[in-house]
Amino acid sequence: MSIKVYYFASLKEHVGHSEHELEFIQSLTVKEVWFEANADLALPKNTLAAVNMEYVDWNSLVIDGDVVAFFPPVTGG
Amino acid sequence: MSIKVYYFASLKEHVGHSEHELEFIQSLTVKEVWFEANADLALPKNTLAAVNMEYVDWNSLVIDGDVVAFFPPVTGG
Amino acid sequence: MAIQIIDHAFDPYHEIQRYQSTQPDYLGAIGATSIFIGTMRDFNQGSQVTGMSIEHYPGMTEKQLSLCVEKAQGLWSILDSLIIHRVGTITPNEVIVLIAVWSSHRGDAFDATRYIMEALKSTVPFWKKECLDADAERWVTSNTSGYQ
Amino acid sequence: MAIQIIDHAFDPYHEIQRYQSTQPDYLGAIGATSIFIGTMRDFNQGSQVTGMSIEHYPGMTEKQLSLCVEKAQGLWSILDSLIIHRVGTITPNEVIVLIAVWSSHRGDAFDATRYIMEALKSTVPFWKKECLDADAERWVTSNTSGYQ
């Protein structure tokens, strides 16, 4: 199965790119997606995760076609 | 001594005029000013009193030259 | 800080912009502007309302409005404020009151605006009389609380 | 109800007036308009700030802003609302965010405006990066609470 992963703001600079595609066989949690994609990188404290533009728990499962996003605490307004 | 008394809004209609001058010898409280000026009229519930444009207690004393005002609860805004 | 009592219809946005053009000193310090605009509705307490007249106590009105602002300044950090209130004859959809507060931070701006509005409603000597149709009119007898 | 993400400077008063001209249906029902305008300051966290850039997550931004408004609608009685937020490059004194809420009663308008602002600050995917001088820049790492 295939999912798309996006990174924003300081996290984009931390991982060094803004997006990539992941292909894998078994079902993964959001947390596993991070470590699958960034095996050699620490997960910055307070990082937020969204699937299909909705906030999710790090233990929720990702399915084929999902769009996952990782980003730091938001600072708009 | 001489004081000026003003009435506003529904209270002006209740007493039938907007202002008058009072002359008297001894010192009076605000409450006594009302009954001195309106002996035959009930004092409507919730009536507010001001002396020299500041809210006052009904037992505060009025002195020569003071401007006393009586009016209903305010409804601006 | 400015307080205005006026007897004709006004555009609140135009007045805010005009007032803001006089405050260049601390422009870079303003992070938050909170504005409240009270407008005349065409329906109140179960009746269609066709117009309204607002009476006030000249002099005491300005004095009590200043006191509202002073108290807000004592409680929150405010850079500037503008209050405009209508008196005289008003028709539905016209603005009755404008309160604008400028501050560095949003908490101060929100709190001060609301405080000034509630203080105005409970202490400043304005009185509304509603016109229900050609013949009938009634004094508004009390303001409701803006907090539930 | 309208939500706009824009990448150029805007005049909040002009935008409110333009939006209001599209809402004649319930005009007589509007008793209260509450507005919040967030502006870029030239000083933050001990440093002079010369500019700012705001990044966002297109799509999720609109989705989360809609959710803020829906939640406010569930909690208070709102007739209409307008939210505009800047993205891209911003200079001091420019408006970052505008929130306007129209309601019959002031309590609803005040509460809803503040709620939407706090919800925006904590849930909508915008990120600010401040330019401190020609070479230095820093990400803003967290928003403060608007309540004390």
Side-chain angles (χ1 to χ4, degrees):
Chain A
M1 76 188 202
S2 160
I3 61 161
K4 197 144 193 161
V5 182
Y6 287 106
Y7 304 92
F8 290 96
S10 57
L11 207 67
K12 177 170 63 186
E13 296 174 0
H14 181 65
V15 302
H17 47 257
S18 63
E19 59 179 284
H20 52 206
E21 298 256 352
L22 278 189
E23 304 282 341
F24 45 88
I25 299 158
Q26 85 284 28
S27 184
L28 294 182
T29 67
V30 170
K31 192 170 214 161
E32 287 166 338
V33 169
W34 171 272
F35 287 109
E36 192 76 21
N38 306 287
D40 51 344
L41 275 179
L43 174 59
K45 214 176 71 172
N46 300 326
T47 295
L48 300 171
V51 171
N52 303 331
M53 303 185 175
E54 283 175 13
Y55 286 99
V56 291
D57 187 274
W58 286 79
N59 295 318
S60 62
L61 284 177
V62 173
I63 60 169
D64 189 39
D66 274 353
V67 176
V68 180
F70 296 108
F71 47 79
V74 303
T75 57
Chain B
M1 78 188 200
S2 161
I3 61 160
K4 196 146 195 161
V5 184
Y6 287 106
Y7 304 92
F8 291 95
S10 57
L11 208 66
K12 178 169 64 185
E13 296 173 0
H14 180 65
V15 302
H17 47 256
S18 63
E19 59 179 282
H20 52 208
E21 298 257 352
L22 278 189
E23 303 284 339
F24 46 87
I25 300 159
Q26 86 283 28
S27 184
L28 295 181
T29 66
V30 170
K31 193 170 214 162
E32 287 166 336
V33 169
W34 170 272
F35 287 109
E36 192 74 23
N38 306 286
D40 51 343
L41 275 178
L43 174 59
K45 215 177 71 173
N46 300 327
T47 296
L48 300 171
V51 171
N52 302 331
M53 303 185 174
E54 282 174 14
Y55 286 99
V56 291
D57 187 275
W58 285 79
N59 296 317
S60 61
L61 284 176
V62 173
I63 61 169
D64 188 40
D66 273 354
V67 176
V68 180
F70 296 108
F71 47 78
V74 303
T75 56
Chain C
M1 310 284 165
I3 288 167
Q4 296 170 33
I5 311 297
I6 64 174
D7 62 1
H8 55 271
F10 69 99
D11 178 334
Y13 305 112
H14 181 76
E15 295 302 323
I16 293 169
Q17 286 173 301
R18 186 159 71 175
Y19 186 71
Q20 260 188 326
S21 69
T22 69
Q23 48 169 226
D25 296 11
Y26 46 82
L27 212 55
I30 293 174
T33 307
S34 171
I35 297 164
F36 180 80
I37 297 167
T39 310
M40 193 195 149
R41 291 184 297 144
D42 57 17
F43 200 83
N44 192 30
Q45 295 179 308
S47 308
Q48 201 71 24
V49 182
T50 57
M52 183 184 269
S53 65
I54 301 182
E55 184 177 331
H56 75 127
Y57 181 177
M60 182 165 175
T61 309
E62 292 81 351
K63 192 167 191 168
Q64 293 298 322
L65 278 172
S66 297
L67 211 55
C68 295
V69 174
E70 275 167 39
K71 284 182 181 169
Q73 285 174 314
L75 292 165
W76 298 284
S77 181
I78 299 174
L79 290 165
D80 207 344
S81 66
L82 170 65
I83 301 176
I84 303 178
H85 200 291
R86 277 290 295 280
V87 292
T89 306
I90 299 181
T91 55
N93 304 336
E94 286 183 2
V95 174
I96 298 170
V97 59
L98 163 68
I99 298 172
V101 172
W102 289 271
S103 178
S104 291
H105 302 286
R106 70 190 187 282
D108 291 324
F110 274 126
D111 282 336
T113 305
R114 192 161 191 175
Y115 174 88
I116 292 170
M117 184 61 191
E118 298 308 318
L120 183 158
K121 284 246 174 196
S122 63
T123 66
V124 183
F126 293 110
W127 301 275
K128 286 175 187 159
K129 186 183 242 178
E130 295 174 334
C131 308
L132 303 183
D133 59 45
D135 297 321
E137 49 183 32
R138 68 177 174 203
W139 287 101
V140 176
T141 53
S142 68
N143 272 335
T144 53
S145 168
Y147 295 97
Q148 288 176 330
Chain D
M1 309 284 163
I3 288 167
Q4 296 170 32
I5 311 299
I6 65 176
D7 62 1
H8 55 271
F10 69 99
D11 178 334
Y13 305 111
H14 181 75
E15 295 302 323
I16 292 169
Q17 287 174 299
R18 186 159 70 175
Y19 186 70
Q20 261 190 324
S21 69
T22 69
Q23 48 168 228
D25 296 11
Y26 46 82
L27 212 54
I30 294 174
T33 307
S34 172
I35 297 163
F36 179 79
I37 298 166
T39 310
M40 194 195 148
R41 292 185 295 143
D42 58 16
F43 199 83
N44 193 32
Q45 297 179 307
S47 307
Q48 202 71 26
V49 182
T50 57
M52 182 184 270
S53 65
I54 301 183
E55 183 177 331
H56 74 127
Y57 181 178
M60 182 164 175
T61 309
E62 292 82 351
K63 192 167 191 169
Q64 293 298 321
L65 278 173
S66 297
L67 210 56
C68 296
V69 174
E70 275 166 41
K71 284 181 180 169
Q73 284 174 314
L75 292 165
W76 298 284
S77 181
I78 300 174
L79 290 165
D80 207 345
S81 66
L82 170 66
I83 302 176
I84 303 178
H85 200 290
R86 278 289 297 278
V87 293
T89 305
I90 300 182
T91 55
N93 306 335
E94 287 183 0
V95 174
I96 297 170
V97 61
L98 162 68
I99 298 173
V101 173
W102 289 272
S103 177
S104 291
H105 302 287
R106 70 190 187 282
D108 291 324
F110 274 126
D111 283 335
T113 305
R114 191 161 191 175
Y115 174 89
I116 291 170
M117 185 60 191
E118 297 309 317
L120 183 159
K121 284 243 174 198
S122 63
T123 66
V124 183
F126 293 110
W127 300 275
K128 286 176 185 155
K129 186 183 242 180
E130 295 175 334
C131 307
L132 303 182
D133 61 43
D135 297 321
E137 50 183 29
R138 67 177 173 203
W139 287 102
V140 176
T141 53
S142 67
N143 272 335
T144 53
S145 167
Y147 296 95
Q148 287 176 329

